[in-house]
Amino acid sequence: MTSIGTGYDLSASTYSPDGRIFQVEYAGKAVENSGTAIGIKVKDGVILAVEKLVHSKLLVPHANRRIQTIDRHIGLATAGLLADGRHIANRARDESANWREQYCSPTPIKNIADRLGAYTQAYTLYSSVRPFGISTILGGVDKDGPGLYVIEPSGVYYGYHGAAVGKGRQLAKTELEKLKLSELSMREAVYDAARIIYLVHDDAKEKDFELEMSWIGSETGGLHVPVPDDLFKDANAKAKAALEDFE
């Protein structure tokens, strides 16, 4: 902390003299300390993948998931504080249910991203609350086709073809930029997503991790579901083999 920031990080509603809100920046640091999450939008769907770090051998495998279903056609992955991610997921479900009740139609992905962005930004305005310590990747398929958005702790959100958040985001983005995303099928993207997660994990030399993956698109009939076991195991095995070859 520089001297110019002294005393200006005690409230999310206080600007520093150079126009910064330090608690929002601290929330971004919480995201950077988390496992990597990536989203890939391809021609016929969206793939979500998460590097879930295993902090203890006593944890039950496949519990405490970081990828959650928001609506039948929308999935959400988070990097950062797990409890904050669950809260945002519940808020997203409420927003989606509200849309369906009011308009009797599936919720557009951009609409959910917009509402979550506004909700997240509200938590940067008042001294009685704190910013959410998560970055959220929102993916799904609606009447306009596949959609992928990232909502940052500040409340800003952007649409992406390929997105990465968390500790290994820079290397993951570099790898995503090498892919011709508009030409990939969903199955091909599953293999690339697994490879990228293994690559960024190895780069950080972290603890053991679990790979979580889900997809939405033509392969699933427009539903957000986990990647099938046979495909998941094959992608896992090939990602490990590719990492060994890389080394």
Side-chain angles (χ1 to χ4, degrees):
M1 175 69 68
T2 60
S3 59
I4 197 171
T6 304
Y8 291 97
D9 62 343
L10 302 179
S11 169
S13 60
T14 302
Y15 281 98
S16 70
D18 56 343
R20 298 161 66 185
I21 300 177
F22 286 103
Q23 285 204 7
V24 174
E25 294 183 20
Y26 296 161
K29 293 296 183 183
V31 176
E32 292 176 12
N33 290 331
S34 172
T36 308
I38 65 174
I40 303 177
K41 184 177 77 170
V42 294
K43 59 184 179 182
D44 55 348
V46 173
I47 312 297
L48 299 176
V50 171
E51 169 204 17
K52 189 178 73 177
L53 300 177
V54 178
H55 299 286
S56 170
K57 293 181 179 179
L58 300 177
L59 290 172
V60 177
H62 312 302
N64 306 313
R65 295 184 62 82
R66 285 188 174 271
I67 297 179
Q68 303 184 58
T69 297
I70 301 307
D71 202 336
R72 290 191 289 265
H73 63 300
I74 303 174
L76 175 149
T78 59
L81 304 180
L82 184 59
D84 286 12
R86 287 174 175 159
H87 178 83
I88 285 294
N90 286 331
R91 177 70 184 198
R93 291 185 186 109
D94 290 342
E95 294 289 0
S96 186
N98 186 312
W99 179 280
R100 280 186 177 272
E101 182 179 355
Q102 187 167 0
Y103 298 104
C104 299
S105 64
T107 318
I109 314 300
K110 185 176 181 181
N111 178 270
I112 291 292
D114 183 64
R115 293 189 180 191
L116 281 186
Y119 182 72
T120 302
Q121 192 261 342
Y123 275 69
T124 70
L125 300 178
Y126 308 106
S127 58
S128 57
V129 297
R130 65 163 175 79
F132 290 107
I134 57 165
S135 286
T136 304
I137 299 179
L138 195 70
V141 177
D142 57 20
K143 59 182 177 60
D144 296 321
L148 184 70
Y149 292 87
V150 174
I151 300 107
E152 301 290 355
S154 62
V156 67
Y157 70 93
Y158 295 103
Y160 285 91
H161 291 291
V165 295
K167 183 172 291 187
R169 71 190 185 285
Q170 291 297 345
L171 178 56
K173 287 180 179 178
T174 300
E175 291 298 315
L176 287 169
E177 288 172 356
K178 297 177 182 178
L179 302 176
K180 296 181 179 180
L181 298 177
S182 61
E183 299 176 8
L184 288 179
S185 68
M186 290 179 66
R187 287 184 174 269
E188 291 170 335
V190 166
Y191 288 98
D192 283 317
R195 178 183 58 81
I196 290 171
I197 290 294
Y198 268 91
L199 184 62
V200 299
H201 177 80
D202 182 72
D203 183 67
K205 299 296 183 184
E206 276 287 356
K207 301 177 181 178
D208 291 339
F209 80 103
E210 289 180 9
L211 173 63
E212 289 184 24
M213 299 184 74
S214 67
W215 58 351
I216 321 107
S218 59
E219 292 273 357
T220 68
L223 301 179
H224 176 248
V225 295
V227 172
D229 284 343
D230 57 342
L231 179 59
F232 179 85
K233 290 176 182 177
D234 191 36
N236 225 348
K238 289 188 176 180
K240 291 179 181 178
L243 186 60
E244 293 172 358
D245 293 341
F246 178 78
E247 293 174 345

